[in-house]
Amino acid sequence: MSENGNGNGTTGKKTFIIFSGEMDKVLAGFVLSNSAAAMGDEVTMFFTFWGLNALRKEHPPKTHGKSFLQTMFGMMMPRGPKKLALSHMNFAGVGPKLMSKAMRDQNVDCIDEMIATAQEQGIKMVACTMSMDVMGLKPEELIDGIEYAGAATYLSEADEANVNLFI
Amino acid sequence: MSENGNGNGTTGKKTFIIFSGEMDKVLAGFVLSNSAAAMGDEVTMFFTFWGLNALRKEHPPKTHGKSFLQTMFGMMMPRGPKKLALSHMNFAGVGPKLMSKAMRDQNVDCIDEMIATAQEQGIKMVACTMSMDVMGLKPEELIDGIEYAGAATYLSEADEANVNLFI
Amino acid sequence: MSENGNGNGTTGKKTFIIFSGEMDKVLAGFVLSNSAAAMGDEVTMFFTFWGLNALRKEHPPKTHGKSFLQTMFGMMMPRGPKKLALSHMNFAGVGPKLMSKAMRDQNVDCIDEMIATAQEQGIKMVACTMSMDVMGLKPEELIDGIEYAGAATYLSEADEANVNLFI
């Protein structure tokens, strides 16, 4: 069991902003979140900007009312955890496949398994509505079981937490 | 109104290190800072390394006493918020323009408007003097109304805050 | 002397996750860590993913039992602080050399000097065992005087700290 910074024996809440959509950083976010939840901490993950790509469905329903720019963003950004790039050694998409293989070899879960574990553990996953508006992502394009909110909600959650990271 | 981690009903101070000079990360920093200030929090933004580029004047006065290396850094680094690159989909500078357009379409302020709001709200913006020395940036090349300090000052501010992020 | 967030005059513990292996971010991590330690704070640096490259020996002993993938990762990733790339303006490795020169010109320590200072000051440097497993890095390939642990250990340390950053 973890103790919070006040040393009073209670577990502490944690928040993680998942800003980067790079596979390795998303992975780090889920490893920390799932570990904290397993230790009894309340965890909120706030997905914003490129981080939203980790929540996209691989085969989303058709959407309407997107601007040309938003359609273009939607087409160019990776759809879901299997399409994310690495921040280093990406090698036009070969890097993430090799990294996934190296993880499987060491019995480390891949990102979609980690997302499932996060949802099973009751981790609150929040999609940033302002980023969704700018990029033209609709709720039906993102996985089920998540919440939608803006920066003010994030800040209120962070105020209650004892560890807050921007990943 | 936000509450801080001690649950005593006071608002909490926030600090944000703006390390990356990428448009999307600088944007995230200002969205969080301006939201926190609007909720009544005291906010300090500490600009270091590439983050300093967000504070550069577009048309700085002529400076003297720079080394060849510092002159080169100065020429190659982006001058001010309109010149910042995106961390993904930069497309040789087209990406930031498209992102700015997508933001305007959704009534999201662009970075120079967010900087103005930050200054109006009394957010303390601090430029890291060690980074300025290394990169050869002089105070007269940066926008007015900011402060200058080093890592020790940042740490003292962070000690007083309940949310500290490295962006 | 710094005060912690509770305003009770004690110094606060700090933790820094060094995730990125980019020279500029590793540098920022050591500047903050060494400053905090100099101010009397207890500091833990947790090196994970590409951040581990900063801890690699330049001339490691021969290792056995690596998979093909791990051998490849080992060959392609930079060995030690002198080989790290910059996150911007890397210019195929010329950028870091110019940055190091600019730092020397301003009497700023280079990364291997900062690592030595960190160890002299008693900063706890921890290598992430899960990342080491995935990338196939063995303890004998990393510098001496460091510890080995996973995410749960990091979270327990962060729970005791008043400033936690992901760099």
Side-chain angles (χ1 to χ4, degrees), chain A residues 108-119:
Chain A
V108 174
D109 280 351
C110 62
I111 294 182
D112 41 10
E113 291 164 331
M114 288 192 187
I115 293 176
T117 304
Q119 292 194 314

Side-chain angles (χ1 to χ4, degrees), chain C residues 73-126:
Chain C
F73 277 131
M75 283 172 55
M76 304 201 61
M77 294 188 306
R79 274 198 191 135
K82 287 179 193 160
K83 301 290 169 55
L84 303 178
L86 280 176
S87 66
H88 295 273
M89 308 206 303
N90 191 54
F91 305 135
V94 177
K97 287 189 179 61
L98 297 181
M99 181 63 79
S100 296
K101 164 111 179 58
M103 286 163 58
R104 271 198 310 278
D105 289 348
Q106 298 297 325
N107 295 315
V108 174
D109 280 351
C110 63
I111 294 183
D112 41 9
E113 290 164 332
M114 288 191 189
I115 293 176
T117 304
Q119 293 195 314
E120 281 161 29
Q121 290 198 106
I123 288 173
K124 196 196 282 188
M125 295 167 62
V126 183

Side-chain angles (χ1 to χ4, degrees), chain C residues 17-158:
Chain C
I17 294 182
I18 311 297
F19 172 93
S20 161
E22 288 151 349
M23 179 194 171
D24 38 355
K25 290 203 174 168
V26 173
L27 198 68
F30 276 103
V31 168
L32 288 169
S33 297
N34 282 336
S35 299
M39 290 163 84
D41 290 344
E42 191 186 334
V43 179
T44 297
M45 300 177 80
F46 189 78
F47 293 80
T48 185
F49 265 84
W50 319 104
L52 287 170
N53 292 329
L55 301 183
R56 291 179 78 190
K57 290 177 186 159
E58 214 172 330
H59 303 290
K62 236 184 145 63
T63 54
H64 300 281
K66 291 199 185 192
S67 71
F68 172 73
L69 255 178
Q70 292 174 330
T71 304
M72 205 185 76
F73 277 131
M75 283 172 55
M76 304 201 61
M77 294 188 306
R79 274 198 191 135
K82 287 179 193 160
K83 301 290 169 55
L84 303 178
L86 280 176
S87 66
H88 295 273
M89 308 206 303
N90 191 54
F91 305 135
V94 177
K97 287 189 179 61
L98 297 181
M99 181 63 79
S100 296
K101 164 111 179 58
M103 286 163 58
R104 271 198 310 278
D105 289 348
Q106 298 297 325
N107 295 315
V108 174
D109 280 351
C110 63
I111 294 183
D112 41 9
E113 290 164 332
M114 288 191 189
I115 293 176
T117 304
Q119 293 195 314
E120 281 161 29
Q121 290 198 106
I123 288 173
K124 196 196 282 188
M125 295 167 62
V126 183
C128 168
T129 45
M130 193 195 90
S131 302
M132 288 175 66
D133 286 348
V134 170
M135 294 172 167
L137 290 172
K138 310 280 181 188
E140 60 265 32
E141 296 177 83
L142 303 184
I143 61 170
D144 297 326
I146 62 176
E147 301 183 19
Y148 302 90
T153 300
Y154 161 74
L155 287 163
S156 299
E157 300 249 2

